[in-house]
Amino acid sequence: MVASRAIGSLSRATASRMLRCPGYICRNFSASSALQTRTHINYGVNGDVAVVRINSPNSKVNTLNKELQSEFVEVMNEIWTSDQIRSAVLISSKPGCFIAGADIGMLASCKTPEEATQVSQEGQRMFEKLEKSTKPIVAAISGTCLGGGLELAISCQYRIATKDRKTVLGTPEVLLGILPGAGGTQRLPKMVGVPAAFDMMLTGRNIRADRAKKMGLVDQLVEPLGPGLKPPEERTIEYLEEVAVTFAKGLSDKKISIKRDKGLVEKLMSYAMSIPFVRQQIYKKVEEKVRKQTKGLYPAPLKIIDVVKTGIEQGNDAGYLSESKVKFFPFNLLLLDSRKSRSKILCKAKKKNTQSLPKMFSFYNASQEIEGSRVLIPAPPSVCNYGTFPHILVFHEVVLFSVFHNNMAMRWKPSKSTNMRISSLDTKDCVFSRLNDKVKKKALTSFERDSIFSNLTGQLDYQGFEKADMVIEAVFEDLSLKHRVLKEVEALIPDHCVFASNTSALPIREIAAVSKRPEKVIGMHYFSPVDKMQLLEIITTEKTSKDTTASAVAVGLKQGKVIIVVKDGPGFYTTRCLAPMMSEVLRILQEGVEPKKLDSLTTNFGFPVGAATLVDEVGVDVAKHVAEDLGKAFGERFGGGSLELLKQMVSRGFLGRKSGKGFYIYQEGVKNKNVNSDMDSILASLKVPPKSDVSSDEDIQYRLLTRFVNEAVLCLQEGILATPAEGDIGAVFGLGFPPCLGGPFRFVDLHGAQKIVDRLRKYEAAYGKQFTPCQLLIDHANSPDRKFCQ
Amino acid sequence: MTSILTYTFKNLPNTSKWALRFSVRPLSCSSQLRAAPAAQTKSKKTLAKPNIRNIVVVDGVRIPFLQSGTSYKDLMPHDLARAALSGLLHRTSVPKDVVDYIIFGTVIQEVKTSNVAREAALGAGFSDRTPAHTVTMACISANQAMTTGIGLIASGQCDVVVAGGVELMSDVPIRHSRKMRKMMLELNKAKTLGQRLSLISKFRLNFLSPELPAVAEFSTSETMGHSADRLAAAFAVSRLDQDEYALRSHSLAKKAQDEGLLSDVVPFKVPGKDTVTKDNGIRPSSLEQMAKLRPAFIKPYGTVTAANSSFLTDGASAMLIMAEEKALAMGYKPKAYLRDFVYVSQDPKDQLLLGPTYATPKVLEKAGLTMSDIDAFEFHEAFSGQILANFKAMDSDWFAQNYMGRKTKVGSPPLEKFNNWGGSLSLGHPFGATGCRLVMAAANRLRKEGGQYGLVAACAAGGQGHAMIVEAYPK
């Protein structure tokens, strides 16, 4: 503090007006140095502070690629050798992005492990040099600072970050199946303590600037600025630079110390960590937890623990070496291929909430790219106003989501078939309590909550629908009811208004049959629970117009969803893939497998939710409805389990979680769910003898999986799906297909189509036509070089 | 009448705008239409409007503004307001029963005297038949009191209104925690000993932690100083510039005080203490001294310090507003006309303190004036950084086009006409009372320095702002 004041007076003593606006001076300098040939990095000198600006050309984000690295080394060498320069500031010229991470392409192009080790060691050497720099280096962070970006920042002597929502720090490597490879595993534990470092590296979670300050990850915060004489973002970066320059001067003059005052808790913590026994316990605890959550399906987190341990117990050099050695796992290459914009994946890591997938690990897909190239041809009309009909639980959350993410004006009207008043109040209460949760977590202020909430109108009539740009109905899955609603709404809404139906199985073309304007009718299939499931399946009929699709996609993107666009058909893509698997679930249960056993078999295979639990979550009545509809449409192929099981469950009121009983009993406040013993009699009455040669644990797992995969491939064959990539996205993000398998199509590529066909043939022999492999799958089996995902 | 004619004539190019106003204004007038007086024929151009009563300030006073925690610290807000009212009575000798209505502005309310206007009026010896109410609008509460009075007079409901404001920052309501309050209220209702004991048994020590009045903006949870620091940074206002401006404010205030220009101050005999005759916050220092201070809000590198911010102040002000013909009939020589005014509001987060920037062009446009017509600017100085940021915003075409929806900038006020007798930074800023001080300073300066138009502008918490044109009463 004293120091900063002193700096203040110093700059005042030299008092020419020019000197008081450092921004301008260095602008001039950098303009001249920009004339040099460097493309990613240039620097200017402000007094005795070098301001290094990172700005990768033709990209929205900066990534640590080879060119940038070599330019960076060059620039730093100039700075270290210059007599005039006593300190440096690293800053990005791109608002919203410091460095989004290492260029994953650079890693993916490594052919051998030795090559990868070399890449890692280069990074380690560069950052070690930074860390040991005698001239203090200040990282001025505004926007995403992830992966390699964070590793760079923590190698600097001092970090200043902008305190806004865009500025996040994190190590998302684990989500891609890799680990921080440039010294991050060694530096992070020293900086924030072992437990916090594990938390960051194992969850890949993003840390907002204010939290980072508390953790000791950054040293100072800069508040984002409002409008001044320039756009706010531009001026905020300038301000950040000005502040960083002040601190750089202070550091080189030894007026500011890089040592941080630690709180009492932190001191105690670091004392505890100095006891080897405590450390061992922590490693053990973390490892146990990871094993439990990953079920051994994901290797990266265990390696991270190992590397951190090596670094702490055997010193930095050993740590660096072990970090550079373990770099790749078979799975990460699988994930990384075919993604054009690598950095985007990292950037998206921030946006996507991945709780639907196993808590720690998931992978990210740039579904926006797909939509961008395939759908968004006309500019979407601005959808600002939309009406909805909540009926099922899903809808509370659709409403919440829309209001929260879009700040769109929304009004909703419960359908007449329900108790209107209660439904209306329920939704409003539900949305409010969800918003309120965010307030409690300090993600929102109470004031923001109120102003967001004011965008919602609950009503019992159609007032205001004449101004709606989009109406999303979510009445019960009953075609005549949907028809009635469609007609009532169409009588009121303006011509441009899109009518979207939230249905999980009813064909959109049948719903649109009664429409005056079928080109404006589209399906939007949300997944429950909406705030956690990232997928939105948009269903188009042959009559749906391009701009209608564009509007639906635009709304979905605004809601923060991962989107796939599929063709209309019974069950579309997702429900259609799930239904045969569900049918097999019933069969397996009928064969006498305990629900708990089945659940553990499926979760061990990588499904986030056990199969029996999934039926309860979806709702037994919904499952029955869907099974009946699709059974009619597809006949034998959807056979397997007996529909009678679901019918009896519905008649006894075992509707799953929503009614408190299904395969399990659900009680408020009871964490461990118990098997519903009343199910025994139903299951007993429908028992079929298991076939011993296809009832091993592995067979049960593969019976479920292969039916799923076979149906997915059939969807591609029939043109319901446009690309295999969308099929993978839909399965992983909407249905919880094991993320470690990468989706049904990647699974076929990885596992080999022939092996899958063989399995299907084996089950076909035992059970019949529902296991008959589809033609496209057979084609792939016949030509092993053909892959779905290039 | 001549004046009106020439006036309309002069404004012919603007006919459509004025036509609109003509058609609207009479509606808001009561049936008692009066002929416009012929008093202002001498001026170069006047803002009188046909069919609207001219409203004048007869005079205004304030008790000395003191740093909180000094001589007024044992008083209550209505004591200060009472002193201002007594001072006004003394200064103007207005018969108490002539006053039709009393309005006061205040921000942090003393719960015992939530309608502080009424308590003060009764205590100051006004007729108990004179109604009084209290208004609040953050730092422009007194402005709101005045403009409420203007509305009452213009609509013919009243002829004589006393408007004022008061703030006592030496004492603020610190409350029990909500839990404690709840328990106390329930205890009130408990009937049996058993009920009481069971309630008391729920008591926890943390119930005793007090609740301080919020210093932060409710909507954004940001304190005003913090916002001011960000505003200064957004407009690249340096620490030195801010300190220089603060020094200017203090030096000018000191000069005005020494030369006896602050004629609106009336002495206040504090019961049991000495008579207070002067503002005590005026402390011209040196830039070196000011540079030593640490930033008060954004630590450690911010630019807003205690020295370049307005300080917590106790004080009260009051002024006598009348319909012009009433004032003349009573034999008064008014000081100024109160003319067009506007209230504006904008983003409470990033533009919290930019009220003057938004209000100034709007009020000038309304009055048909330009910056060059203004002879005396009196802006409320919440922070040096805020004033300088407002200057830069007013002088920026980019800001006008992108944030205010205007084609061009309005221009920043010339410093030689700006707050020449000091401002809130030096004289002090009792939230509720500053508005009247600004208007009286403008009126007194116009009389002293010989200009015709004064512009008063202020920002307020909640992202609001106000501006008013004050026209000198012809001598």
Side-chain angles (χ1 to χ4, degrees):
Chain A
M1 318 301 121
V2 185
S4 75
R5 261 192 284 148
I7 296 165
S9 51
L10 194 78
S11 74
R12 249 164 257 128
T14 48
S16 96
R17 288 229 159 205
M18 278 299 279
L19 264 178
R20 264 184 276 129
C21 359
Y24 293 101
I25 292 188
C26 56
R27 182 85 14 83
N28 296 339
F29 272 96
S30 67
S32 62
S33 66
L35 292 176
Q36 295 175 19
T37 50
R38 291 191 196 104
T39 53
H40 294 268
I41 292 187
N42 58 60
Y43 76 103
V45 181
N46 177 0
D48 55 7
V49 183
V51 179
V52 182
R53 294 193 183 78
I54 308 164
N55 193 1
S56 291
N58 310 322
S59 168
K60 274 189 188 166
V61 294
N62 296 320
T63 45
L64 285 178
N65 55 24
K66 278 207 170 125
E67 293 160 49
L68 192 145
Q69 281 186 19
S70 66
E71 284 186 20
F72 182 71
V73 171
E74 218 176 283
V75 166
M76 287 318 294
N77 283 336
E78 275 181 39
I79 288 171
W80 279 318
T81 48
S82 162
D83 293 335
Q84 189 204 345
I85 297 167
R86 298 183 55 217
S87 59
V89 168
L90 301 184
I91 192 166
S92 158
S93 304
K94 293 187 199 296
C97 180
F98 177 67
I99 293 176
D103 180 14
I104 294 158
M106 181 171 78
L107 300 178
S109 64
C110 298
K111 298 271 176 339
T112 61
E114 288 73 40
E115 233 177 288
T117 302
Q118 203 193 333
V119 168
S120 173
Q121 281 175 343
E122 269 170 34
Q124 288 174 349
R125 270 197 294 275
M126 177 168 87
F127 290 159
E128 200 177 357
K129 235 175 141 184
L130 274 189
E131 189 182 29
K132 303 219 165 112
S133 165
T134 48
K135 297 182 180 176
I137 302 165
V138 178
I141 304 162
S142 182
T144 42
C145 173
L146 299 175
L150 182 74
E151 288 179 285
L152 171 64
I154 58 176
S155 314
C156 296
Q157 277 69 36
Y158 209 75
R159 282 148 301 280
I160 303 177
T162 315
K163 187 184 163 192
D164 56 14
R165 287 196 179 161
K166 277 185 182 164
T167 301
V168 287
L169 300 94
T171 48
E173 284 89 346
V174 70
L175 300 171
L176 301 167
I178 51 181
L179 69 157
T185 58
Q186 307 304 306
R187 269 180 211 106
L188 210 50
K190 294 200 185 81
M191 184 159 270
V192 298
V194 176
F198 272 138
D199 179 63
M200 282 179 72
M201 288 190 284
L202 295 176
T203 60
R205 101 175 60 227
N206 286 323
I207 292 173
R208 286 215 304 261
D210 44 352
R211 175 100 194 86
K213 169 85 163 47
K214 281 193 197 124
M215 288 168 63
L217 198 55
V218 302
D219 301 286
Q220 290 293 339
L221 293 179
V222 165
E223 297 280 336
L225 301 180
L229 301 175
K230 288 175 187 165
E233 303 77 31
E234 211 178 293
R235 176 60 196 150
T236 301
I237 286 218
E238 245 178 57
Y239 179 53
L240 174 67
E241 184 182 312
E242 286 165 21
V243 172
V245 166
T246 324
F247 277 96
K249 282 201 180 114
L251 285 167
S252 63
D253 295 344
K254 304 261 189 293
K255 284 177 178 158
I256 297 170
S257 153
I258 54 172
K259 280 232 175 85
R260 203 164 53 87
D261 296 332
K262 288 188 174 173
L264 183 64
V265 182
E266 262 179 281
K267 277 181 192 157
L268 284 176
M269 186 75 115
S270 56
Y271 171 70
M273 290 311 295
S274 65
I275 307 167
F277 174 74
V278 176
R279 288 203 300 269
Q280 295 304 331
Q281 288 305 310
I282 286 180
Y283 301 142
K284 225 171 92 187
K285 254 264 146 54
V286 173
E287 206 172 312
E288 258 169 43
K289 210 172 156 191
V290 165
R291 280 194 195 282
K292 206 175 149 203
Q293 290 202 23
T294 61
K295 303 191 188 297
L297 296 168
Y298 301 82
L302 295 174
K303 290 290 176 192
I304 290 175
I305 299 174
D306 197 49
V307 170
V308 170
K309 203 163 134 186
T310 313
I312 293 176
E313 305 301 332
Q314 299 168 30
N316 271 349
D317 294 339
Y320 281 141
L321 190 65
S322 109
E323 181 186 87
S324 66
K325 283 272 165 23
V326 279
K327 194 64 191 166
F328 285 97
F329 307 101
F331 176 59
N332 55 30
L333 288 174
L334 174 86
L335 275 182
L336 294 175
D337 63 4
S338 89
R339 292 268 72 85
K340 272 176 270 171
S341 144
R342 325 278 168 187
S343 51
K344 202 163 178 183
I345 302 173
L346 285 180
C347 282
K348 280 179 78 74
K350 167 184 146 253
K351 269 166 57 183
K352 299 298 173 203
N353 164 352
T354 56
Q355 284 168 6
S356 61
L357 302 174
K359 204 168 175 194
M360 284 178 154
F361 318 102
S362 81
F363 75 111
Y364 297 103
N365 252 304
S367 83
Q368 295 196 12
E369 278 170 53
I370 297 168
E371 299 318 322
S373 54
R374 217 160 66 71
V375 184
L376 285 175
I377 298 152
S382 64
V383 178
C384 59
N385 206 331
Y386 58 91
T388 60
F389 297 80
H391 175 94
I392 46 178
L393 189 65
V394 170
F395 234 76
H396 297 318
E397 283 141 14
V398 175
V399 171
L400 165 71
F401 230 69
S402 311
V403 173
F404 183 63
H405 286 277
N406 306 1
N407 235 345
M408 291 174 172
M410 292 229 11
R411 49 183 71 242
W412 83 86
K413 171 189 177 304
S415 66
K416 282 180 185 148
S417 63
T418 56
N419 182 334
M420 298 190 287
R421 192 158 293 282
I422 289 172
S423 170
S424 171
L425 291 176
D426 270 1
T427 304
K428 207 152 183 170
D429 268 358
C430 176
V431 171
F432 189 82
S433 74
R434 299 295 277 277
L435 287 175
N436 212 22
D437 289 345
K438 289 188 192 293
V439 173
K440 282 179 196 151
K441 287 182 197 150
K442 300 209 168 145
L444 278 183
T445 67
S446 63
F447 186 82
E448 284 168 322
R449 173 198 66 202
D450 295 345
S451 69
I452 290 169
F453 197 59
S454 71
N455 283 331
L456 263 177
T457 318
Q459 60 192 42
L460 303 176
D461 53 23
Y462 282 116
Q463 191 206 337
F465 274 54
E466 68 279 359
K467 285 186 215 139
D469 297 314
M470 183 170 208
V471 174
I472 305 175
E473 65 75 16
V475 296
F476 195 69
E477 304 262 4
D478 171 3
L479 194 60
S480 63
L481 179 62
K482 296 224 181 224
H483 280 166
R484 207 182 73 217
V485 167
L486 173 58
K487 281 188 223 157
E488 280 177 19
V489 169
E490 271 196 346
L492 292 165
I493 54 179
D495 289 342
H496 72 275
C497 179
V498 171
F499 184 91
S501 182
N502 177 45
T503 170
S504 53
L506 290 178
I508 302 299
R509 70 170 73 84
E510 280 176 35
I511 295 173
V514 298
S515 171
K516 287 184 290 187
R517 344 156 291 158
E519 73 279 4
K520 288 285 176 195
V521 179
I522 197 165
M524 288 173 86
H525 180 196
Y526 291 89
F527 294 76
S528 175
V530 176
D531 61 335
K532 292 194 177 145
M533 297 300 275
Q534 291 165 256
L535 190 71
L536 168 63
E537 184 180 27
I538 291 178
I539 305 109
T540 59
T541 69
E542 54 275 25
K543 287 187 182 152
T544 307
S545 67
K546 279 249 166 13
D547 62 320
T548 302
T549 314
S551 299
V553 170
V555 167
L557 288 178
K558 270 193 154 184
Q559 289 169 335
K561 290 289 175 195
V562 172
I563 295 169
I564 60 170
V565 179
V566 303
K567 285 259 166 57
D568 191 25
F572 324 126
Y573 166 65
T574 49
T575 312
R576 184 170 158 183
C577 289
L578 195 60
M581 190 177 105
M582 281 296 154
S583 176
E584 201 57 32
V585 167
L586 298 183
R587 171 88 195 187
I588 291 165
L589 290 167
Q590 279 177 277
E591 287 178 3
V593 177
E594 287 284 313
K596 281 215 161 160
K597 165 110 194 274
L598 179 59
D599 274 358
S600 81
L601 281 179
T602 35
T603 49
N604 282 341
F605 206 67
F607 280 96
V609 176
T613 309
L614 184 62
V615 179
D616 279 358
E617 292 285 342
V618 169
V620 178
D621 51 338
V622 177
K624 171 187 152 260
H625 211 83
V626 169
E628 278 172 351
D629 280 356
L630 295 186
K632 267 182 231 155
F634 295 107
E636 280 188 295
R637 219 179 54 253
F638 278 45
S642 168
L643 250 182
E644 194 55 34
L645 174 58
L646 294 176
K647 279 184 189 159
Q648 286 195 24
M649 284 179 80
V650 172
S651 70
R652 299 207 33 195
F654 301 153
L655 302 183
R657 179 184 279 282
K658 59 186 162 189
S659 70
K661 274 184 182 179
F663 288 108
Y664 295 98
I665 294 175
Y666 299 90
Q667 278 166 309
E668 195 87 16
V670 179
K671 218 178 168 192
N672 287 332
K673 52 185 191 225
N674 293 313
V675 174
N676 181 3
S677 55
D678 294 341
M679 282 303 299
D680 294 349
S681 62
I682 301 180
L683 286 169
S685 70
L686 296 167
K687 191 161 170 61
V688 291
K691 303 191 180 196
S692 55
D693 55 334
V694 287
S695 293
S696 71
D697 284 357
E698 195 192 319
D699 277 321
I700 288 178
Q701 289 173 333
Y702 273 100
R703 271 161 64 192
L704 295 172
L705 196 73
T706 49
R707 283 194 74 175
F708 189 119
V709 169
N710 191 28
E711 200 61 35
V713 177
L714 191 57
C715 283
L716 183 65
Q717 180 185 320
E718 290 179 359
I720 297 281
L721 279 178
T723 61
E726 278 176 293
D728 283 343
I729 292 170
V732 173
F733 287 91
L735 303 173
F737 190 90
C740 55
L741 304 181
F745 296 96
R746 278 167 208 270
F747 173 69
V748 173
D749 288 347
L750 179 75
H751 196 74
Q754 187 59 51
K755 277 193 205 159
I756 292 168
V757 169
D758 291 346
R759 280 191 187 272
L760 280 166
R761 293 280 186 219
K762 175 175 155 197
Y763 302 141
E764 187 185 14
Y767 291 102
K769 278 202 172 167
Q770 64 262 36
F771 282 104
T772 311
C774 70
Q775 190 55 44
L776 185 59
L777 198 55
I778 295 172
D779 291 349
H780 272 255
N782 291 340
S783 47
D785 292 342
R786 260 178 89 176
K787 297 272 182 217
F788 287 112
C789 308
Q790 296 309 320
Chain B
M1 284 322 265
T2 359
S3 74
I4 296 166
L5 280 177
T6 49
Y7 180 63
T8 354
F9 189 64
K10 274 183 193 165
N11 279 283
L12 262 183
N14 286 337
T15 325
S16 62
K17 202 168 64 199
W18 285 104
L20 186 71
R21 194 161 293 159
F22 282 144
S23 62
V24 174
R25 286 298 169 121
L27 284 180
S28 64
C29 261
S30 76
S31 53
Q32 331 168 349
L33 293 177
R34 289 154 210 236
Q40 66 271 36
T41 33
K42 280 174 275 174
S43 60
K44 48 183 175 180
K45 166 183 156 185
T46 174
L47 298 176
K49 289 176 187 150
N51 301 334
I52 303 263
R53 304 174 83 180
N54 279 316
I55 293 157
V56 295
V57 178
V58 172
D59 210 340
V61 299
R62 62 182 177 91
I63 56 171
F65 287 177
L66 301 189
Q67 297 178 50
S68 61
T70 57
S71 298
Y72 300 155
K73 69 179 173 188
D74 297 326
L75 300 176
M76 282 179 67
H78 74 280
D79 293 327
L80 304 191
R82 203 154 45 85
L85 284 172
S86 310
L88 185 70
L89 285 176
H90 185 75
R91 176 76 61 93
T92 61
S93 314
V94 68
K96 289 166 186 173
D97 49 355
V98 175
V99 177
D100 295 321
Y101 208 94
I102 297 169
I103 311 164
F104 258 67
T106 195
V107 178
I108 298 191
Q109 283 186 336
E110 162 63 49
V111 276
K112 285 182 193 156
T113 58
S114 61
N115 187 1
V116 66
R118 177 65 174 161
E119 314 306 339
L122 285 174
F126 278 85
S127 160
D128 58 8
R129 308 273 168 122
T130 305
H133 83 262
T134 304
V135 293
T136 186
M137 199 173 180
C139 305
I140 49 179
S141 296
N143 305 79
Q144 185 53 260
M146 281 182 284
T147 55
T148 306
I150 291 173
L152 287 173
I153 297 172
S155 65
Q157 309 306 314
C158 298
D159 290 328
V160 180
V161 172
V162 170
V166 61
E167 204 69 46
L168 183 76
M169 293 304 292
S170 296
D171 181 35
V172 292
I174 297 171
R175 302 193 292 180
H176 269 300
S177 68
R178 183 81 189 244
K179 286 175 191 156
M180 186 70 185
R181 292 189 330 251
K182 195 175 160 202
M183 195 178 85
M184 288 159 101
L185 289 171
E186 279 170 359
L187 265 178
N188 245 350
K189 287 184 200 149
K191 294 207 170 60
T192 65
L193 185 64
Q195 282 174 339
R196 287 198 193 106
L197 285 176
S198 85
L199 273 171
I200 289 172
S201 70
K202 285 180 196 150
F203 174 81
R204 298 285 173 275
L205 212 57
N206 70 358
F207 285 19
L208 289 179
S209 66
E211 206 175 280
L212 299 171
V215 282
E217 193 71 9
F218 181 74
S219 59
T220 60
S221 317
E222 187 182 23
T223 59
M224 196 178 270
H226 198 279
S227 192
D229 207 322
R230 285 197 306 116
L231 185 73
F235 284 92
V237 178
S238 72
R239 166 84 184 261
L240 182 62
D241 287 344
Q242 292 181 43
D243 286 351
E244 278 172 356
Y245 182 84
L247 187 58
R248 169 188 190 269
S249 181
H250 279 280
S251 315
L252 289 175
K254 179 80 183 148
K255 188 159 168 270
Q257 193 179 52
D258 291 347
E259 290 173 8
L261 296 172
L262 304 176
S263 59
D264 54 340
V265 177
V266 291
F268 177 21
K269 170 73 180 73
V270 181
K273 288 184 183 164
D274 291 345
T275 304
V276 181
T277 55
K278 279 200 236 167
D279 303 323
N280 73 357
I282 307 173
R283 290 160 304 162
S285 166
S286 67
L287 284 177
E288 291 70 37
Q289 287 292 324
M290 292 167 95
K292 282 184 188 164
L293 281 177
R294 291 179 196 189
F297 300 98
I298 296 186
K299 296 165 185 168
Y301 56 84
T303 53
V304 172
T305 66
N308 58 37
S309 316
S310 56
F311 49 90
L312 294 181
T313 313
D314 302 335
S317 57
M319 62 200 274
L320 184 61
I321 306 174
M322 288 193 193
E324 183 181 28
E325 73 278 4
K326 178 78 178 180
L328 295 177
M330 289 180 71
Y332 283 117
K333 177 80 181 157
K335 283 201 159 168
Y337 292 106
L338 298 181
R339 297 300 194 189
D340 291 284
F341 62 86
V342 294
Y343 286 93
V344 293
S345 57
Q346 63 283 339
D347 171 20
K349 172 88 186 154
D350 290 332
Q351 303 184 38
L352 181 70
L353 303 171
L354 287 179
T357 302
Y358 281 83
T360 300
K362 218 169 154 186
V363 79
L364 287 175
E365 212 160 72
K366 205 167 176 188
L369 298 175
T370 62
M371 282 300 248
S372 57
D373 292 323
I374 306 295
D375 304 301
F377 291 90
E378 278 297 327
F379 278 36
H380 162 51
E381 301 164 342
F383 302 89
S384 288
Q386 167 255 337
I387 284 289
L388 297 174
N390 270 288
F391 284 177
K392 287 196 171 186
M394 288 161 90
D395 208 25
S396 160
D397 279 327
W398 186 87
F399 190 84
Q401 285 154 6
N402 287 286
Y403 285 90
M404 294 166 67
R406 307 184 66 87
K407 287 201 186 76
T408 52
K409 64 186 183 186
V410 62
S412 74
L415 213 52
E416 64 275 11
K417 294 181 183 172
F418 191 87
N419 290 8
N420 286 0
W421 294 356
S424 299
L425 285 172
S426 44
L427 300 172
H429 171 41
F431 304 145
T434 290
C436 289
R437 178 190 68 74
L438 291 173
V439 171
M440 286 321 297
N444 289 333
R445 273 179 59 197
L446 289 174
R447 281 172 75 83
K448 183 87 185 168
E449 295 164 359
Q452 191 182 3
Y453 296 115
L455 173 63
V456 169
C459 57
Q464 312 213 65
H466 166 76
M468 179 156 59
I469 303 286
V470 176
E471 183 181 345
Y473 200 85
K475 281 176 186 166

